[in-house]
Amino acid sequence: MTDPRPGSWWRDAVIYQVYPRSFADSDGDGVGDIDGIRARLGHLSALGVDAIWMSPWYPSPMADAGYDVADFRDIDPAFGTLAKAEALIAEAHAAGIRTIVDIVPNHVSSEHVWFKKALADPRAPERELFWFHPGRGENGDEMPTDWVGEFGGTTWTRTTNPDGTPGDWYLHLFTPEQPDLNWDHPRVRAEFEDILRFWFDRGVDGIRIDSAALLFKDRALPPVVEGERHPFHDLDEVHEVYRAWRRVSEGYPDRALIGEVWMPEVERFANYLRPDELHAAFNFDFLGCAWDAALMRACIDRTLDAHRAVGAPATWVLSNHDVTRHVTRYGRTTTTFSFENNLDGTPVDLELGTRRARAAALLSLSLPGATYVYQGEELGLWENENIPVERMQDPMYARRGHSRDGCRVPLPWSGDEPPFGFSTTQPWLPQPPEWKDRTVQAQTGDPSSMLELYRSAIAARKAEPGLHGPDFAWLDAGAGVLAYRRGPQFACVLNLSPEAVELPAHQSVLLPSSQLEGTLLPPDSAVWLRLAT
Ligand code: NOJ
């Protein structure tokens, strides 16, 4: 594979998230798999992405769609085999596409061999690898803390002793099937460093780190008190782990560590990106930002300032497998996203959402740093809000009344009706029949389609010298309009106001997200311009 700037690909890559279960099904069981990804690499090449990140594909009871990992060194039979994963990595490389795997260090599956041993025998050494704790109250029948889990709900489950009596409790920040690991234990640290090497040795170019800020817990188990240090979010000890991981990654050429770090304080977020820690982290501030010029501009400034301070590249993320798809978000009256403020079922104007999503694509693909594309966003897919409760699989639904299944629906590839070429049978989650206009086949060659917009934008980004490197400057623009220059000759203008606005002086139009009205940029649109020198 040729790389013009070895050693820094992750700084300005376009990284496509593959959700293996929903990408393409090769064996007709309704669930996507590795052979499905291999068969569809052509789509990713045509899109022009630099790398793919696969959500977990390891053996798992699937209590949390694979984020409950039973064995980090193998592949779940539903997805294929290790040999198939290796073949995918090699074939992607041959197509010029790097690969990133998803590692989940905060917890394992309750079916992981360590936890099974720990549960079977309270004296087993594996007990120390988790958070077993006696309960409170006279008979120990109250949980050790009242901590609320990351999905909502409680965080402790009581065990039963071998003699049948009630035993200790164990901690799980997510579901009971995802016991938290004890990162104070050297065996846990050694194990994960070895897992990193396992995948780096198989040629993967990066690691996405799940729940990266949650690993350490305050041993005193204090309550969560507003304004005080949180007992399990962002404890300082975590940085030592990522320094060690960085050292592991540097034993290989061009490997990147990318953290899932949800953090309201941008300075604390940036701590994860210091030069000896992670290479990049997902920008959820941007993802959750309202469709509003002033707020968006403030978010971009905040992001660039925080990353500049630590010399890390920013990332631009609009969607992923956990959040409401942005076509839907941007079509609502409230365009922000947060797990706490559930907007499910509130009115959506999909036409408006799509129009804004097109503009957002040009925004996210022209800001300095790396851009993430979640599978299906290049097709303009919206959230499926009509999944019957009995078909929902997300464990968050029972705890928080919000299901992430709606953004995880299998991709529509071709044809006029479900399963739209995804499979030969009914997919694991239902696809909206209205997606017949959003298949890859239907959009290919249609210049007005979302897919062709993404293809053109990614190709133009590659070819545009101004879009590589950190150069960025705001241009004067009216209220409700964002305009910036990248390099001497490239500009992006985004109109978030309700009126069409005059374009700034330019030499030519490179790419508009919607039809220009002469020299006017309509509302909820963006355009890439070539500036005169
Ligand atoms: C974040 C992942 O993105 C999400 O899907 C998962 O449920 C949690 N971490 C727990 O692993």
Side-chain angles (χ1 to χ4, degrees):
M1 181 172 40
T2 54
D3 184 347
R5 293 168 313 114
S8 56
W9 66 271
W10 39 272
R11 286 192 163 266
D12 60 3
V14 177
I15 301 175
Y16 183 98
Q17 181 187 357
V18 172
Y19 196 68
R21 188 161 264 277
S22 295
F23 189 73
D25 172 21
S26 73
D27 58 5
D29 62 357
V31 174
D33 47 47
I34 291 176
D35 280 347
I37 307 172
R38 293 170 68 191
R40 301 279 186 181
L41 275 177
H43 171 65
L44 302 169
S45 291
L47 192 56
V49 301
D50 300 297
I52 49 176
W53 145 38
M54 268 72 62
S55 280
W57 51 9
Y58 317 105
S60 165
M62 306 289 168
D64 183 21
Y67 282 92
D68 48 323
V69 179
D71 178 359
F72 282 99
R73 296 181 183 82
D74 205 350
I75 299 292
D76 194 278
F79 298 135
T81 60
L82 191 54
K84 289 183 178 185
E86 288 170 341
L88 169 61
I89 294 165
E91 288 159 12
H93 278 171
I97 298 173
R98 298 178 191 266
T99 52
I100 297 168
V101 294
D102 203 325
I103 296 293
V104 188
N106 180 68
H107 45 269
V108 290
S109 161
S110 49
E111 290 301 309
H112 189 285
V113 59
W114 281 0
F115 193 73
K116 288 208 281 194
K117 285 184 183 166
L119 208 53
D121 178 2
R123 289 156 313 164
E126 283 74 16
R127 196 83 166 178
E128 296 302 317
L129 307 178
F130 297 91
W131 285 83
F132 286 90
H133 212 277
R136 290 178 296 179
E138 216 174 303
N139 304 313
D141 50 13
E142 286 172 41
M143 298 188 187
T145 70
D146 298 322
W147 296 347
V148 175
E150 297 293 299
F151 291 161
T154 57
T155 50
W156 297 89
T157 292
R158 196 162 196 187
T159 61
T160 306
N161 291 321
D163 65 2
T165 57
D168 285 345
W169 300 72
Y170 69 88
L171 176 69
H172 48 83
L173 296 185
F174 295 91
T175 71
E177 293 83 14
Q178 294 165 292
D180 278 51
L181 287 167
N182 170 15
W183 274 88
D184 296 319
H185 202 292
R187 215 172 134 190
V188 173
R189 296 179 187 227
E191 171 71 357
F192 275 86
E193 290 178 25
D194 198 59
I195 291 167
L196 297 189
R197 286 190 200 96
F198 179 89
W199 286 103
F200 285 152
D201 286 341
R202 272 158 189 77
V204 307
D205 302 279
I207 305 280
R208 181 260 187 192
I209 306 161
D210 187 77
S211 305
L214 300 182
L215 273 43
F216 285 84
K217 283 90 194 176
D218 186 334
R219 292 236 145 244
L221 304 186
V224 176
V225 179
E226 180 88 34
E228 283 181 23
R229 192 178 107 127
H230 197 280
F232 56 85
H233 284 175
D234 188 33
L235 267 60
D236 290 337
E237 294 88 324
V238 76
H239 295 289
E240 203 37 62
V241 168
Y242 297 134
R243 287 191 189 106
W245 287 26
R246 178 71 174 236
R247 289 192 291 273
V248 172
S249 77
E250 284 173 356
Y252 298 80
D254 297 355
R255 304 304 206 264
L257 301 170
I258 303 152
E260 188 211 14
V261 182
W262 291 86
M263 190 87 53
E265 306 87 21
V266 74
E267 295 76 21
R268 293 207 61 104
F269 171 88
N271 282 343
Y272 289 76
L273 302 175
R274 289 175 290 200
D276 57 348
E277 299 195 37
L278 307 182
H279 298 82
F282 298 99
N283 187 349
F284 296 120
D285 190 21
F286 180 71
L287 183 153
C289 186
W291 190 254
D292 172 281
L295 294 173
M296 201 67 107
R297 180 172 172 147
C299 169
I300 294 168
D301 279 336
R302 213 164 38 236
T303 298
L304 294 177
D305 289 348
H307 287 77
R308 199 176 300 114
V310 287
T315 68
W316 308 101
V317 187
L318 293 167
S319 277
N320 68 26
H321 65 293
D322 290 331
V323 306
T324 306
R325 280 190 178 274
H326 60 274
V327 163
T328 299
R329 287 191 337 253
Y330 290 154
R332 288 193 167 127
T333 315
T334 304
T335 50
T336 49
F337 176 82
S338 80
F339 287 110
E340 290 71 34
N341 185 15
N342 176 356
L343 298 167
D344 297 349
T346 59
V348 184
D349 177 342
L350 287 177
E351 209 178 304
L352 178 65
T354 302
R355 185 178 174 82
R356 290 177 170 171
R358 293 175 62 88
L362 294 195
L363 172 71
S364 71
L365 285 164
S366 65
L367 289 166
T371 302
Y372 285 77
V373 176
Y374 173 50
Q375 69 173 46
E377 84 174 57
E378 81 281 21
L379 303 177
L381 301 188
W382 58 84
E383 185 84 359
N384 183 0
E385 296 196 273
N386 296 319
I387 301 177
V389 171
E390 62 280 8
R391 291 203 53 190
M392 286 182 184
Q393 303 213 4
D394 182 11
M396 188 187 273
Y397 183 70
R399 293 164 177 83
R400 206 175 242 164
H402 166 74
S403 163
R404 297 168 296 175
D405 291 315
C407 66
R408 299 175 174 178
V409 174
L411 291 189
W413 290 95
S414 57
D416 290 331
E417 53 184 22
F420 292 122
F422 165 76
S423 175
T424 49
T425 189
Q426 176 166 214
W428 70 283
L429 285 175
Q431 299 159 308
E434 300 79 18
W435 280 1
K436 66 175 188 305
D437 298 332
R438 304 239 169 173
T439 64
V440 174
Q441 187 182 46
Q443 297 192 46
T444 296
D446 172 358
S448 69
S449 70
M450 185 73 89
L451 178 57
E452 293 297 351
L453 178 75
Y454 267 83
R455 286 178 178 163
S456 304
I458 294 172
R461 171 190 168 102
K462 269 206 183 118
E464 184 61 44
L467 290 178
H468 304 279
D471 187 47
F472 174 90
W474 291 110
L475 301 174
D476 283 341
V481 182
L482 299 183
Y484 50 87
R485 186 182 56 67
R486 300 286 319 276
Q489 277 203 287
F490 178 95
C492 175
V493 185
L494 173 68
N495 182 8
L496 297 111
S497 81
E499 308 293 337
V501 294
E502 192 70 38
L503 290 176
H506 59 276
Q507 200 176 71
S508 59
V509 170
L510 296 174
L511 189 62
S513 71
S514 53
Q515 185 76 45
L516 299 178
E517 299 160 7
T519 56
L520 292 180
L521 178 64
D524 298 308
S525 307
V527 63
W528 286 358
L529 299 175
R530 166 74 63 235
L531 302 177
T533 37

